[in-house]
Amino acid sequence: MFAARRALQATRGYATSANVQIPAVLHGIEGRYATALYTAAAKKQALDAVETDLKTVKRVVEKDSKLREFLENPTINRIEKKAGVQQLLAAGKYNELTKNFFDTLAENGRLYDTVKIINSYGTLMGAYRGEVQVTITSAKELDAKEVAKVKGYLQKSSFITAKQTLVVSNKVNPSILGGLVVEFGDKTIDLSVSSKINKLNQLLQEAI
């Protein structure tokens, strides 16, 4: 409860979400911090600016192994981490909300959750724009036409509204043997060969 309260008061001057419509409910500490940042950014009409900042920070963290180690190292004290992240953000034109937010992450000892929080904020922004993340798992990589075909079927289905936009990614997993597994939101459509084999095996076992 205490952690949740601190997350919802994530940075100096952050407003509560009372007057801001949150497009998706996220769980976990990273979800709470991301929601607090989204709320503050919405109040300041800075949602896109903050998203741009976070994407920049994420790229830097992913490319710089030393910086990533610095953020994730629990033996480095919070004051030193705060100074380090301030130096990082001083190198670019970051929104004041973004700077304050990372100050708070440092003060609360949550910098090791940086990428998770950034991803959660991205989830909120995707929901805000009406985007639906779709993952198509196949035994081998699909070509653009095959992806477009699956996307077209989904777009015409009752699962997707006219206001929603599909953002599709293709994940390769040879263990499914063939067919497709389509995941979006809380739904999974399993058309894989491995799933059919497992069902057949189950039926045979029950028949014995």
Side-chain angles (χ1 to χ4, degrees):
M1 179 64 72
F2 180 65
R5 193 179 301 117
R6 291 182 78 177
L8 289 175
Q9 296 170 343
T11 168
R12 303 181 188 89
Y14 269 31
T16 65
S17 59
N19 299 319
V20 174
Q21 185 175 359
I22 307 302
V25 177
L26 302 184
H27 303 286
I29 290 296
E30 63 271 20
R32 295 183 184 123
Y33 273 96
T35 300
L37 179 57
Y38 179 94
T39 300
K43 289 280 188 178
K44 297 288 186 180
Q45 298 184 338
L47 288 171
D48 292 334
V50 170
E51 182 182 32
T52 298
D53 287 350
L54 295 183
K55 286 180 177 179
T56 300
V57 172
K58 183 179 178 180
R59 283 196 299 270
V60 173
V61 171
E62 289 179 339
K63 289 181 180 179
D64 192 333
S65 59
K66 290 185 178 179
L67 173 59
R68 188 164 60 251
E69 183 180 345
F70 172 79
L71 296 177
E72 296 175 355
N73 191 337
T75 65
I76 301 175
N77 67 60
R78 297 182 183 187
I79 295 175
E80 189 176 347
K81 280 195 173 183
K82 183 177 179 179
V85 80
Q86 285 177 341
Q87 184 177 358
L88 168 66
L89 297 179
K93 295 181 180 179
Y94 292 94
N95 189 283
E96 201 63 30
L97 280 173
T98 305
K99 293 178 181 179
N100 288 343
F101 186 72
F102 277 98
D103 278 351
T104 301
L105 289 185
E107 291 166 1
N108 292 353
R110 287 287 170 184
L111 282 174
Y112 60 83
D113 280 328
T114 292
V115 173
K116 290 181 180 179
I117 293 169
I118 291 174
N119 289 341
S120 293
Y121 187 90
T123 298
L124 288 172
M125 289 299 293
Y128 166 72
R129 288 189 287 258
E131 295 174 353
V132 177
Q133 301 292 328
V134 179
T135 301
I136 305 172
T137 302
S138 54
K140 62 179 182 179
E141 187 174 0
L142 302 179
D143 61 34
K145 288 184 179 180
E146 291 170 322
V147 171
K149 197 171 185 178
V150 176
K151 183 177 179 180
Y153 287 144
L154 285 174
Q155 197 76 62
K156 294 175 183 177
S157 73
S158 59
F159 297 120
I160 306 299
T161 69
K163 294 182 180 180
Q164 292 177 313
T165 302
L166 299 182
V167 180
V168 182
S169 61
N170 180 206
K171 183 170 70 176
V172 176
N173 181 2
S175 68
I176 72 169
L177 303 178
L180 301 172
V181 178
V182 183
E183 299 169 279
F184 54 100
D186 58 353
K187 298 177 178 61
T188 299
I189 302 173
D190 192 343
L191 303 173
S192 64
V193 172
S194 62
S195 175
K196 293 177 181 178
I197 291 174
N198 288 337
K199 288 177 182 177
L200 174 61
N201 184 53
Q202 184 178 353
L203 289 171
L204 291 173
Q205 291 293 330
E206 292 173 352
I208 295 175

